[in-house]
Amino acid sequence: MPTEMAAHRIAAYGDADAFETDTVPVPDPGPGEIRVAVEASSVNPVDYKIRRGDIPDFAPSLPATLGCDVSGVVDAVGEGVEAFDVGDEVYGMPGGAGRQGALADYVVGHAGTFADAPSSIPLADAAALPVVALTAWEMLTDKADVGLGDEVLVYGASGGVGHIGVQLADWFGCEVTATGSTAAKRDFAATLGADATVDYTTTDVETYVSEHATNGGFDVVFDPVGDDHLETAFEAVRPYGAVVTTESSAAESLSLAPMHAKSLELGVVLVILPVLLGEGQERIGEELSDIAALVDDGALAPHVDERFAFADVAEAHRRAEAGDFRGKILLVNE
Amino acid sequence: MPTEMAAHRIAAYGDADAFETDTVPVPDPGPGEIRVAVEASSVNPVDYKIRRGDIPDFAPSLPATLGCDVSGVVDAVGEGVEAFDVGDEVYGMPGGAGRQGALADYVVGHAGTFADAPSSIPLADAAALPVVALTAWEMLTDKADVGLGDEVLVYGASGGVGHIGVQLADWFGCEVTATGSTAAKRDFAATLGADATVDYTTTDVETYVSEHATNGGFDVVFDPVGDDHLETAFEAVRPYGAVVTTESSAAESLSLAPMHAKSLELGVVLVILPVLLGEGQERIGEELSDIAALVDDGALAPHVDERFAFADVAEAHRRAEAGDFRGKILLVNE
Amino acid sequence: MPTEMAAHRIAAYGDADAFETDTVPVPDPGPGEIRVAVEASSVNPVDYKIRRGDIPDFAPSLPATLGCDVSGVVDAVGEGVEAFDVGDEVYGMPGGAGRQGALADYVVGHAGTFADAPSSIPLADAAALPVVALTAWEMLTDKADVGLGDEVLVYGASGGVGHIGVQLADWFGCEVTATGSTAAKRDFAATLGADATVDYTTTDVETYVSEHATNGGFDVVFDPVGDDHLETAFEAVRPYGAVVTTESSAAESLSLAPMHAKSLELGVVLVILPVLLGEGQERIGEELSDIAALVDDGALAPHVDERFAFADVAEAHRRAEAGDFRGKILLVNE
Amino acid sequence: MPTEMAAHRIAAYGDADAFETDTVPVPDPGPGEIRVAVEASSVNPVDYKIRRGDIPDFAPSLPATLGCDVSGVVDAVGEGVEAFDVGDEVYGMPGGAGRQGALADYVVGHAGTFADAPSSIPLADAAALPVVALTAWEMLTDKADVGLGDEVLVYGASGGVGHIGVQLADWFGCEVTATGSTAAKRDFAATLGADATVDYTTTDVETYVSEHATNGGFDVVFDPVGDDHLETAFEAVRPYGAVVTTESSAAESLSLAPMHAKSLELGVVLVILPVLLGEGQERIGEELSDIAALVDDGALAPHVDERFAFADVAEAHRRAEAGDFRGKILLVNE
Ligand SMILES: [Zn+2]
Ligand SMILES: [Zn+2]
Ligand SMILES: [Zn+2]
Ligand SMILES: [Zn+2]
């Protein structure tokens, strides 16, 4: 067993060039923790927001190893851990925010933040899932509690959270309307299970509500984009409906008047919360088990747009920040 | 059957002196509507906000008969109405916003906005219930979905919605902590079923959370007050908890950052919505039936602080706006 | 519009030769009813049990037109029916038990017993669905209330109800173990979505429980077969689990001791009940709408083993009673 | 700490005289167990059935200390137990079936089979609750899943399980109809919260269904009596309703035909199951916590008909078997 490993870290907040490859000690799992030999990670907006210094409360201590998503093989098991054995193939969300992350040869995290990886897709690809699938899952189940026949409007359907949201909502038996700014994005959404697609750049809310929603609006608006989408979400949702979102940046001065006018519900999801709090981590692993079961049953698959080696993480972040991709950008520990 | 009746109306928005007593034709029920000989109404904030001109979108057309709450006896039944017969004692929320209200000898409204009045309290007293009980009900069931053992913090526990909220949350098996600014208000909350009370003027949020909540915050914060209470609500609720409110006036520039930081849910209730929309009115009557059953089973009672004759509605509004009362102010058609 | 039509009827209970082709008046829809030009029907055990005289309480009055399942085109609409227009393609379960059935050129039934046919399969094939899909649906939702990750054992997985049960349980995210007496039947079950299959003729209950169930038994045992299967169902289910069944014939002298020993729940489904009672028919149409949505979303498909013309209904019944087929036997009104 | 204690045991199955008072070693708690200094126990049918030898599979090994219910003070805590400390006042259902019971100075059981005793009633009286309150709770929640407004028929409403069932069903907001063979029993049921009572010795099922049920039968029939009550239960329940029971003795040759005819659900509760299985005991403690909360909130109280000293357990059993009492017979460790 090596005592040192490579870690792709930032010594200070900055642009994508901030990443450096350092040699650091291999961490040991404490009680209740496991150590995982990292196969892959992926890029999520939370990663580059941390890197930029936009959300310092979420950042691991500097120098910081980023990377919230991970897949790999269990390599050591801390005291009191019964759920995993050395050699298990797992995926999880152990750190990258709140504590050191996955862009290294090994990562240590609370056992509750892992689950057995899906067996029907390559282990590396499983690293595309945790943050986006947990987010979409909590939006649709905990917050919106969607059911068969619900009409769901999905913004940003070709993005990380969105492309999982379309598949999950479809699997829950919802009628899914997906927005996309280009024909290619809308076609992609249709292949994921969207029953209808909308070019929101040329169609106003009133028009697509009247075409695709039957009760004066959608039962649920799924917004993984935030910004000004939240305003149109309140327009597009029906009276007594629900809006679920992940973002708060642009919502600094949100008016509640539209929520009052329609007697609405708003749910905001932050999946990394148990890692930040250092408690309740088991919910992550339990949800990842459910998600893995759906993947193995053919209901859900991550779409990987491009793969980068850990050494090329700067380039991967640049592509992610540019926004011109579908699904996820994977980082592989070559 | 008389063809004319007294109606207490406002010809224009204004202070409490705006009320005039007019003689107007007795209205006839259209298809799906009933006419009720009015026994009583009560004062809710929505009534004086309409009177002041604060929420013109909600106002009946001028000259406007206000009064959302009503109890009385069915006097005529429109075409297609099967749920009620002439002579039935009912209570409801047929108008006062969106259409003409109850401060008259007769009111006409959609049959779906009425239910059989509770049989265990005087018919007049039933008029203290609709707006506040429907609001508390929708906050606790539709929005917060409280269950046995949930820890619920109730703001404004001695007010109209609050004093019903305490009783309902207690009936649902919740652990209720109620806030009150005076010892008398807190004692009142305790008699309603609050398991603990808090003087929020001398106790900071962190302190009462650590004393009365076991998971780092309350499962649900019930806020019928709005204003700056919403900010402290986000402080007092636990991660993954829910805040339910009725108000949006002070929430013009709400920041969603606290909701994101705790992965929260926010529900905003507007009970009068089906009357404003002119559709889905049946939900009002169905909920009022459940509420009447709870009253008759001893689980819930309205507290009437003071009674005024319809002719003294101006005085009743002044007292309501001054805020120095507990439970409800009743208006009786003498 | 013709005033007479062909109806395939039995004048008295008997074997498959009892069917005769009669010319009878075309029935008119009463208030709340619709008339459907019949495209197809299918054979269910209830049909030949009625024909034999095994369940005379369920039989239409003699001479009786059998056939519970139907698909076709709306041809006339009774007073007060708003859900359907002439020309709509529908499927349903309007009669065949309790009132005259579908083996005729036209069938009349309560509008609530119909729904729009799935649009993604031929209209005739939709007639394979109502009885078996409603039965499987009510077993898994109303009675067993299955959820993601539940372990479900399906008996008779290649039969009418069973082959839909496997697909639905799989769609609900269950882990499905299916029994079958031949390799061909088990392969069929696997293609329907069964995660594991068992040859119950060579494997005892204890063995397949230990191989395929993780909590000392299956969460739910789905038994569309009855007979002695119910006894093994109580053996195969876990403590606090549920058994759902459709059959009672062999259960004349059931002992409740096994249910007591494991604190179990037993649900018995009779889908035709609203037709027999003449009330609550809307639940049929509502469930058929949900089922059609699943068909159109690719989650569910009927398997048609063989097709017979209405004129050959005797032969179709003989094949159904012999039991040597998979999925359904369709009857087409040629 | 004494090393020996008194235990009221049976050396062999027999009538009530079988009890002897023996001196035995004080047992030590193993890992995950606690030892409780016994304050009181109570008599349940399961106790005298075990004593008679009717259900040998449930009996502790002979010589057997009976008594399933217990209240007392925690006296020693086994390895790994964090939920309780020495000195805690608790109530529970640790043994009496499957393992040695409570009719002794000390009882040892799995920590999961205990909860903090209600604080608003005497500690001894809490021993009247576990078996009957857990049974009624699991019948109404797990099995029947009752809700506001459900019409519930309670057989044997003055008995052990029945008198809790009436209170709980009332608390859940159900309309409760209770049967009783004497005016005194029916009055007792009314004081417990029954909305209507029926003398089933003079009123046939059809009559009381038509008087007290609105949908052709009760939503739920709650039968803690068994015997021929189960047959009338199937008569009294509405189509698609649920029957919940505790008993199987008389149901040896139950016909499922009535369940099929109404598309019913049947739940059978055996509360002692986790003790017999030696797994899943936590559900007992969790339910007892909820029950204690209801007691302390005034929603539920055990009715103690008579109190006996442990030394008079034979007399207590005779009275219990005679059946002429209301609520519970308490056994106090004097
Ligand atoms: Zn779809
Ligand atoms: Zn309370
Ligand atoms: Zn599957
Ligand atoms: Zn009651």
Side-chain angles (χ1 to χ4, degrees):
Chain A
M1 177 71 216
T3 57
E4 297 197 318
M5 66 175 189
H8 305 270
R9 309 198 297 180
I10 58 168
Y13 302 132
D15 63 22
D17 296 324
F19 285 104
E20 293 167 13
T21 303
D22 299 324
T23 299
V24 302
V26 172
D28 282 321
E33 296 184 334
I34 61 174
R35 183 173 64 211
V36 171
V38 177
E39 176 92 10
S41 183
S42 78
V43 187
N44 292 292
V46 67
D47 298 314
Y48 55 72
K49 288 179 187 171
I50 289 176
R51 192 209 70 217
R52 290 177 196 161
D54 289 350
I55 44 175
D57 291 354
F58 286 33
S61 55
L62 296 171
T65 305
L66 304 187
C68 294
D69 286 329
V70 70
S71 62
V73 178
V74 177
D75 172 77
V77 163
E79 195 191 318
V81 173
E82 304 203 345
F84 298 105
D85 296 308
V86 169
D88 287 354
E89 301 198 336
V90 297
Y91 75 139
M93 192 182 65
R99 55 183 292 171
Q100 302 301 322
L103 294 178
D105 291 333
Y106 298 92
V107 66
V108 161
H110 190 285
T113 61
F114 290 92
D116 289 329
S119 58
S120 58
I121 59 171
L123 180 57
D125 290 24
L129 285 168
V131 167
V132 295
L134 289 165
T135 299
W137 180 266
E138 296 189 4
M139 289 168 81
L140 290 171
T141 60
D142 287 3
K143 299 303 189 221
D145 196 16
V146 297
L148 185 64
D150 283 356
E151 296 172 334
V152 178
L153 177 67
V154 177
Y155 288 134
S158 62
V161 174
H163 91 293
I164 301 293
V166 170
Q167 294 177 70
L168 277 180
D170 184 45
W171 181 78
F172 284 122
C174 302
E175 288 300 297
V176 179
T177 300
T179 69
S181 57
T182 67
K185 285 181 175 179
R186 293 191 298 275
D187 288 349
F188 177 54
T191 66
L192 297 169
D195 301 292
T197 59
V198 167
D199 180 353
Y200 67 90
T201 64
T202 60
T203 319
D204 63 18
V205 177
E206 215 171 321
T207 304
Y208 63 74
V209 162
S210 74
E211 270 175 41
H212 300 295
T214 48
N215 297 302
F218 293 89
D219 298 301
V220 171
V221 179
F222 179 100
D223 169 29
V225 181
D227 304 320
D228 32 300
H229 283 274
L230 211 47
E231 272 176 49
T232 62
F234 291 141
E235 252 185 282
V237 73
R238 68 163 169 80
Y240 300 103
V243 173
V244 286
T245 188
T246 60
E247 264 308 314
S248 62
S249 53
E252 282 305 310
S253 57
L254 184 82
S255 165
L256 284 195
M259 289 190 65
H260 189 241
K262 286 188 179 173
S263 214
L264 298 180
E265 213 164 324
L266 172 67
V268 186
V269 165
L270 174 63
V271 277
I272 201 77
L273 185 55
V275 177
L276 297 176
L277 295 174
E279 65 181 51
Q281 291 96 334
E282 291 73 16
R283 72 176 287 148
I284 296 174
E286 287 162 13
E287 292 173 9
L288 285 176
S289 288
D290 285 342
I291 291 163
L294 291 182
V295 171
D296 287 339
D297 225 42
L300 183 67
H303 178 87
V304 175
D305 188 292
E306 190 173 358
R307 289 155 203 270
F308 293 86
F310 275 15
D312 300 322
V313 59
E315 199 180 338
H317 267 227
R318 273 188 291 263
R319 177 133 199 250
E321 288 177 275
D324 178 28
F325 64 97
R326 287 186 218 153
K328 294 299 304 283
I329 289 170
L330 203 72
L331 291 162
V332 183
N333 188 18
E334 293 181 342
Chain B
M1 178 70 216
T3 57
E4 295 197 319
M5 66 175 188
H8 305 270
R9 308 197 298 179
I10 58 170
Y13 303 132
D15 63 22
D17 297 325
F19 284 104
E20 292 167 13
T21 303
D22 300 324
T23 300
V24 302
V26 172
D28 283 320
E33 296 185 333
I34 62 174
R35 182 172 63 210
V36 171
V38 178
E39 176 91 11
S41 183
S42 77
V43 188
N44 293 291
V46 68
D47 297 316
Y48 54 73
K49 288 178 188 173
I50 289 175
R51 192 211 68 218
R52 289 176 195 162
D54 290 351
I55 43 175
D57 290 353
F58 287 33
S61 55
L62 295 172
T65 306
L66 304 188
C68 294
D69 286 329
V70 70
S71 62
V73 178
V74 177
D75 171 78
V77 163
E79 194 190 320
V81 173
E82 306 202 346
F84 298 105
D85 296 309
V86 169
D88 286 354
E89 300 198 337
V90 296
Y91 75 139
M93 190 181 66
R99 54 185 290 171
Q100 302 300 321
L103 294 179
D105 292 333
Y106 299 92
V107 67
V108 160
H110 190 285
T113 62
F114 291 92
D116 289 329
S119 57
S120 58
I121 60 172
L123 181 56
D125 291 24
L129 283 170
V131 167
V132 295
L134 288 166
T135 300
W137 180 267
E138 295 188 4
M139 289 168 81
L140 290 171
T141 59
D142 286 3
K143 298 303 190 220
D145 195 16
V146 296
L148 184 64
D150 283 356
E151 296 172 335
V152 178
L153 177 68
V154 177
Y155 288 133
S158 63
V161 174
H163 91 292
I164 301 294
V166 170
Q167 295 177 72
L168 276 181
D170 185 44
W171 181 78
F172 284 122
C174 302
E175 288 300 296
V176 179
T177 299
T179 69
S181 58
T182 67
K185 286 180 175 178
R186 293 191 297 274
D187 288 350
F188 177 54
T191 67
L192 297 169
D195 301 290
T197 59
V198 166
D199 180 354
Y200 67 89
T201 65
T202 61
T203 318
D204 62 19
V205 177
E206 215 173 321
T207 303
Y208 66 74
V209 162
S210 73
E211 269 175 41
H212 300 295
T214 48
N215 297 304
F218 294 89
D219 297 303
V220 172
V221 180
F222 180 100
D223 169 30
V225 181
D227 303 322
D228 33 301
H229 284 273
L230 211 47
E231 272 176 48
T232 63
F234 290 140
E235 252 185 283
V237 73
R238 69 163 169 80
Y240 299 103
V243 172
V244 285
T245 188
T246 60
E247 265 307 313
S248 61
S249 54
E252 283 303 312
S253 58
L254 185 81
S255 164
L256 284 196
M259 288 191 65
H260 189 241
K262 286 188 178 173
S263 213
L264 297 179
E265 212 164 324
L266 172 68
V268 186
V269 165
L270 174 64
V271 277
I272 201 78
L273 184 56
V275 177
L276 297 176
L277 295 175
E279 64 182 51
Q281 292 96 334
E282 292 73 15
R283 69 177 289 149
I284 295 174
E286 287 162 14
E287 291 173 9
L288 286 175
S289 288
D290 285 341
I291 290 163
L294 290 182
V295 171
D296 288 339
D297 224 43
L300 183 67
H303 177 88
V304 175
D305 188 294
E306 191 173 357
R307 288 156 203 272
F308 293 86
F310 275 17
D312 300 322
V313 58
E315 200 180 334
H317 266 226
R318 276 189 289 263
R319 177 130 200 252
E321 288 176 275
D324 178 28
F325 64 97
R326 288 187 219 153
K328 294 297 307 283
I329 290 170
L330 204 71
L331 290 163
V332 183
N333 188 19
E334 291 180 343
Chain C
M1 177 72 216
T3 57
E4 297 197 318
M5 66 175 187
H8 304 271
R9 308 197 299 179
I10 57 171
Y13 302 133
D15 63 21
D17 296 323
F19 284 104
E20 293 166 13
T21 302
D22 301 324
T23 299
V24 302
V26 172
D28 281 322
E33 296 183 335
I34 61 174
R35 183 173 62 210
V36 171
V38 178
E39 175 93 10
S41 183
S42 77
V43 188
N44 293 291
V46 68
D47 298 315
Y48 55 74
K49 289 180 188 173
I50 289 175
R51 193 211 69 218
R52 292 177 193 159
D54 290 350
I55 44 175
D57 291 354
F58 286 34
S61 55
L62 295 170
T65 305
L66 305 188
C68 294
D69 286 329
V70 68
S71 62
V73 178
V74 177
D75 171 77
V77 164
E79 193 191 323
V81 173
E82 305 203 346
F84 298 105
D85 296 309
V86 170
D88 286 354
E89 300 198 337
V90 297
Y91 74 140
M93 191 182 65
R99 55 183 291 172
Q100 301 301 321
L103 294 179
D105 291 335
Y106 298 92
V107 67
V108 160
H110 190 286
T113 61
F114 291 93
D116 289 329
S119 57
S120 58
I121 60 172
L123 180 56
D125 291 22
L129 284 169
V131 168
V132 295
L134 288 165
T135 300
W137 180 266
E138 295 188 5
M139 289 169 80
L140 290 171
T141 60
D142 286 4
K143 299 303 189 220
D145 195 17
V146 297
L148 185 63
D150 283 356
E151 295 172 335
V152 178
L153 178 68
V154 177
Y155 288 133
S158 62
V161 175
H163 91 292
I164 302 293
V166 170
Q167 295 177 70
L168 276 180
D170 185 46
W171 181 78
F172 284 122
C174 303
E175 288 300 296
V176 179
T177 300
T179 68
S181 57
T182 66
K185 285 180 175 179
R186 293 191 297 276
D187 288 349
F188 178 53
T191 66
L192 297 169
D195 301 292
T197 59
V198 166
D199 180 354
Y200 67 91
T201 65
T202 60
T203 319
D204 63 17
V205 177
E206 215 171 320
T207 304
Y208 64 73
V209 162
S210 74
E211 268 175 40
H212 299 296
T214 48
N215 298 303
F218 293 90
D219 297 303
V220 171
V221 180
F222 179 100
D223 170 29
V225 180
D227 304 320
D228 32 301
H229 283 276
L230 211 47
E231 273 175 49
T232 61
F234 291 142
E235 252 184 283
V237 72
R238 69 163 170 80
Y240 299 103
V243 173
V244 286
T245 187
T246 60
E247 265 306 315
S248 60
S249 53
E252 282 304 312
S253 57
L254 184 81
S255 164
L256 284 196
M259 289 190 65
H260 189 240
K262 286 188 178 172
S263 214
L264 298 180
E265 213 163 324
L266 173 67
V268 186
V269 165
L270 174 64
V271 276
I272 201 79
L273 185 55
V275 177
L276 297 176
L277 296 174
E279 63 181 53
Q281 291 95 333
E282 292 72 16
R283 70 177 288 148
I284 295 175
E286 287 162 13
E287 292 173 10
L288 285 176
S289 288
D290 285 342
I291 290 163
L294 291 183
V295 171
D296 287 339
D297 224 41
L300 184 66
H303 177 87
V304 176
D305 187 292
E306 191 173 357
R307 287 154 204 270
F308 293 86
F310 275 16
D312 300 322
V313 60
E315 198 180 337
H317 267 226
R318 274 189 289 264
R319 177 136 199 247
E321 289 177 275
D324 178 29
F325 65 97
R326 288 185 218 151
K328 295 299 305 282
I329 289 170
L330 204 72
L331 290 163
V332 182
N333 188 18
E334 292 180 344
Chain D
M1 177 72 216
T3 57
E4 297 197 318
M5 67 173 189
H8 304 270
R9 308 197 299 179
I10 58 169
Y13 302 132
D15 64 20
D17 296 325
F19 283 105
E20 293 167 13
T21 303
D22 300 324
T23 300
V24 302
V26 172
D28 282 322
E33 298 184 334
I34 61 174
R35 183 171 65 210
V36 171
V38 178
E39 177 91 9
S41 183
S42 78
V43 188
N44 293 293
V46 67
D47 297 316
Y48 55 73
K49 288 180 187 172
I50 289 175
R51 193 210 68 219
R52 291 176 194 161
D54 290 351
I55 43 174
D57 290 354
F58 287 33
S61 55
L62 295 171
T65 305
L66 303 187
C68 293
D69 286 330
V70 69
S71 64
V73 178
V74 177
D75 171 77
V77 164
E79 195 190 320
V81 174
E82 304 202 347
F84 298 106
D85 296 309
V86 171
D88 286 355
E89 300 198 336
V90 297
Y91 75 140
M93 191 181 65
R99 55 183 292 170
Q100 302 300 322
L103 294 179
D105 291 334
Y106 298 92
V107 66
V108 160
H110 189 285
T113 61
F114 291 93
D116 290 329
S119 57
S120 59
I121 60 171
L123 180 57
D125 291 24
L129 285 169
V131 167
V132 295
L134 288 166
T135 300
W137 180 266
E138 295 188 4
M139 289 168 81
L140 291 170
T141 59
D142 285 5
K143 299 302 190 222
D145 196 16
V146 297
L148 185 64
D150 283 356
E151 295 172 335
V152 178
L153 177 68
V154 177
Y155 288 133
S158 63
V161 174
H163 91 292
I164 301 294
V166 171
Q167 296 177 69
L168 276 181
D170 185 45
W171 181 78
F172 283 121
C174 303
E175 288 300 296
V176 180
T177 299
T179 69
S181 58
T182 68
K185 285 180 174 179
R186 294 190 296 275
D187 288 351
F188 178 53
T191 66
L192 296 170
D195 300 292
T197 60
V198 167
D199 181 353
Y200 67 90
T201 65
T202 60
T203 319
D204 62 17
V205 177
E206 215 172 320
T207 305
Y208 63 73
V209 161
S210 74
E211 268 175 41
H212 300 296
T214 47
N215 297 303
F218 293 90
D219 298 302
V220 172
V221 180
F222 179 101
D223 169 29
V225 180
D227 305 321
D228 32 300
H229 284 275
L230 211 47
E231 273 175 47
T232 61
F234 290 140
E235 251 185 283
V237 72
R238 68 163 169 81
Y240 299 103
V243 172
V244 286
T245 187
T246 61
E247 266 307 315
S248 60
S249 53
E252 283 303 313
S253 57
L254 185 82
S255 164
L256 284 196
M259 289 190 65
H260 190 240
K262 286 187 178 173
S263 214
L264 298 180
E265 211 164 325
L266 172 66
V268 186
V269 166
L270 174 64
V271 276
I272 202 77
L273 185 55
V275 177
L276 298 175
L277 295 176
E279 63 181 53
Q281 292 95 334
E282 292 73 16
R283 70 177 287 149
I284 296 175
E286 286 162 14
E287 291 173 10
L288 286 175
S289 289
D290 284 342
I291 291 162
L294 290 182
V295 172
D296 288 339
D297 224 42
L300 184 66
H303 177 85
V304 175
D305 187 292
E306 191 173 358
R307 287 154 205 272
F308 294 87
F310 275 16
D312 300 323
V313 60
E315 199 179 336
H317 266 227
R318 275 188 289 264
R319 177 131 202 250
E321 288 176 275
D324 178 29
F325 66 95
R326 286 185 219 151
K328 292 301 304 281
I329 290 171
L330 204 70
L331 290 163
V332 183
N333 188 19
E334 290 180 345

